[in-house]
């Protein structure tokens, strides 16, 4: 990461940035460009509209957000381009960094530190801590000093990123415990080989899970193959009448919380950094057994 | 507390409310009335001015905030009247609830749950958790449902108190650990006799400390007697050349963090709910010894 970057640890989750980003960077006379790839992007767009003109450059709403749009055009006169790198609810992930001639802003809440990413390509990154960084109650910001300097003036101190930089993330009493857990998590990550090692582990976990789902026709995967998330696998049972049974089998083996979000139904298995390959092995074994017993 | 109240646990400290309160309640065509009694009130006033007209009804800035103004007039046409119940840095406290014909808003961060207060007299109360409620990273709001309903519309979801009410303080992932510590602290308070018992203990602690300071002329108390804070006692050594020595003596007995804020100098001893009378006994013993040895 180049020397022009500022790193902040701020109160709260990622959602504050949905309005804080346009409050700071949607400067007078400009517009903001957004990619609409799911629930989080849609929320960010809604909040940005309070502060000015928003150009939604592409959306995958037409197919219930089961893919990541490609070939979209980012206008040269936008104040910034905003996208969500990974969509937890829909199970999609952007596997490349979009080309943009305007400052790039990303909500990386659910896949930050899961893979190598060139942070230098981004003017502003934000991420809630509670997936791969630490505990809920704090969020991370990585931002270009020069981009921050161009932000709006006269906004509330607590919302002004430059004020937080001046105060070293201690403008008010920070969420000390949540930050402490981030430190422990980052040390754990470093000790275990850093991003490169965790990316390799994450790839293995996702390959095992998706291979199992693909080879058993009892499961259906709604997401386009090229856009599948390595963090959140979304699937349904091809015969919906078997869903309750599958959920029960998982619960009987202490696998809880895999029910999909009500927007998409079915199931969601999350593979965040903290989950070991052995846990994926347990659920894929169960999936194979279930397919053998109830599959056609 | 009457049934018309909503209780919220939100991300962050009290400072967010400095702008969030006027963002919600400084409605078009109105003005807000503020009492200026110290650093926190001054900050709240600064942020409110971003959102509209502010009428500072009284200030104790003329005497470096060493007293609480009395006899001020709160205009009947103000959207609300805002004050800070206890001033941590200056060591002052408002010992009564002001009469106001407009909705009353209080920042109770540093003395909430330390004494009996009629919450029903307030339209809106906020308090950072890290003094008497729990751990840093969460804050408490107690608000009138009817007052909330009259707030501004079209503001960011994360800043709209009514949206947090609708979502039961879980609009996004809450700061779970900080909230858990609040639960433990509130259970501890309840088990130990509740507010009535802690108020009695706090009165004893403050009486012991202030009596010791008053009886030893080696110490000087800048705050007007009637306005002294029961949570934060501020004092100086009458002969400033002895200050470093006093600080050293305290540190040698493991009493740290008693250096006063740079705005006021001297010393500050805080007496929050968690501090037992025995700790006050230790510092007052040291004060008496110090006065005997170095006093005139």
């Amino acid at each position: 990461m180049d020397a022009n970057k500022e790193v902040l640890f701020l109160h709260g989750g990622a959602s504050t940035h949905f309005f804080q980003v346009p409050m700071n960077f949607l400067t007078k006379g400009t517009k903001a460009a957004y990619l609409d790839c799911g629930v989080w992007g849609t929320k960010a767009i809604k909040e940005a509209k309070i502060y000015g003109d928003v150009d939604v450059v592409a959306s995958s709403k037409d197919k219930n957000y089961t893919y990541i749009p490609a070939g979209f055009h980012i206008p040269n006169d936008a104040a910034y381009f905003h996208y969500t790198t990974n969509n937890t609810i829909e199970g999609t992930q952007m596997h490349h960094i979009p080309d943009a001639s305007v400052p790039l802003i990303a909500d990386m809440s659910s896949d930050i530190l899961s893979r190598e990413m060139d942070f230098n390509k981004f003017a502003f990154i934000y991420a809630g801590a509670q997936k791969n960084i630490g505990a809920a109650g704090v969020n991370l910001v990585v931002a270009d000093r020069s981009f921050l300097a161009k932000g709006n003036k006269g906004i509330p101190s607590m919302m002004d990123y430059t004020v937080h930089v001046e105060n070293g993330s201690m403008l008010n009493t920070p969420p000390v415990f949540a930050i402490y857990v981030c430190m422990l998590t980052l040390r754990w990550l470093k000790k275990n080989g850093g991003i490169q090692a965790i990316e390799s582990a994450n790839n293995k976990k996702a390959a095992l899970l998706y291979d199992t789902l693909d080879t058993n026709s009892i499961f259906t995967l709604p997401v386009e193959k090229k856009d599948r998330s390595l963090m959140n696998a979304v699937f349904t049972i091809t015969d919906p009448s078997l869903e309750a049974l599958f959920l029960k089998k998982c619960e009987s083996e202490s696998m809880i919380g895999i029910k999909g979000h009500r927007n998409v139904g079915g199931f969601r298995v999350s593979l965040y950094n903290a989950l070991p390959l052995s846990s994926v092995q347990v659920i894929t074994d169960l999936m194979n057994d279930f397919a053998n017993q109830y599959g056609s």
Side-chain angles (χ1 to χ4, degrees), chain A residues 130-162:
Chain A
Q130 69 267 23
K131 309 297 188 197
N132 288 334
I133 309 172
V138 67
N139 68 80
L140 175 73
V141 164
V142 180
D144 256 8
R145 206 166 289 142
S146 54
F147 181 64
L148 291 176
K150 281 182 276 184
N152 289 318
K153 313 289 175 223
I155 61 176
S157 311
M158 278 297 292
M159 292 297 108
D160 187 330
Y161 295 114
T162 63

Side-chain angles (χ1 to χ4, degrees), chain A residues 31-222:
Chain A
K31 64 181 175 183
Y34 277 75
L35 188 65
D36 175 31
C37 283
V39 165
W40 304 116
T42 304
K43 283 182 197 278
I45 289 165
K46 184 188 158 211
E47 303 296 325
K49 284 180 176 166
I50 296 172
Y51 290 94
D53 288 337
V54 173
D55 184 348
V56 179
V57 300
S59 170
S60 50
K61 196 181 176 183
D62 58 337
K63 291 184 181 169
N64 204 23
Y65 299 114
T66 53
Y67 69 101
I68 301 284
F72 49 82
H73 171 72
I74 301 167
N76 289 325
D77 59 345
Y80 60 82
F81 170 69
H82 177 286
Y83 78 108
T84 317
T85 53
N86 182 72
N87 298 285
T88 51
I89 291 171
E90 299 83 2
T92 61
Q93 188 174 22
M94 176 91 91
H95 293 294
H96 68 283
I97 299 173
D99 281 322
S101 59
V102 301
L104 209 53
I105 299 186
D107 174 0
M108 294 194 185
S109 294
S110 55
D111 66 355
I112 195 162
L113 307 184
S114 73
R115 55 174 173 170
E116 287 195 293
M117 284 279 268
D118 186 357
F119 277 20
N120 291 330
K121 292 198 170 165
F122 295 86
F124 192 93
I125 293 163
Y126 64 91
Q130 69 267 23
K131 309 297 188 197
N132 288 334
I133 309 172
V138 67
N139 68 80
L140 175 73
V141 164
V142 180
D144 256 8
R145 206 166 289 142
S146 54
F147 181 64
L148 291 176
K150 281 182 276 184
N152 289 318
K153 313 289 175 223
I155 61 176
S157 311
M158 278 297 292
M159 292 297 108
D160 187 330
Y161 295 114
T162 63
V163 174
H164 286 287
V165 169
E166 284 159 20
N167 288 275
S169 298
M170 289 178 290
L171 175 59
N172 64 345
T173 309
V176 282
F177 178 80
I179 291 174
Y180 177 72
V181 175
C182 292
M183 184 191 72
L184 297 180
T185 309
L186 293 171
R187 280 184 184 165
W188 167 85
L189 183 60
K190 205 170 168 182
K191 197 180 126 194
N192 287 281
I195 303 283
Q196 222 173 347
I198 206 84
E199 178 169 11
S200 164
N202 286 333
N203 285 338
K204 281 194 191 98
K205 284 150 55 183
L208 173 60
L209 182 59
Y210 281 116
D211 284 351
T212 306
L213 290 164
D214 280 335
T215 52
N216 291 299
S217 63
I218 195 169
F219 300 110
T220 298
L221 290 101

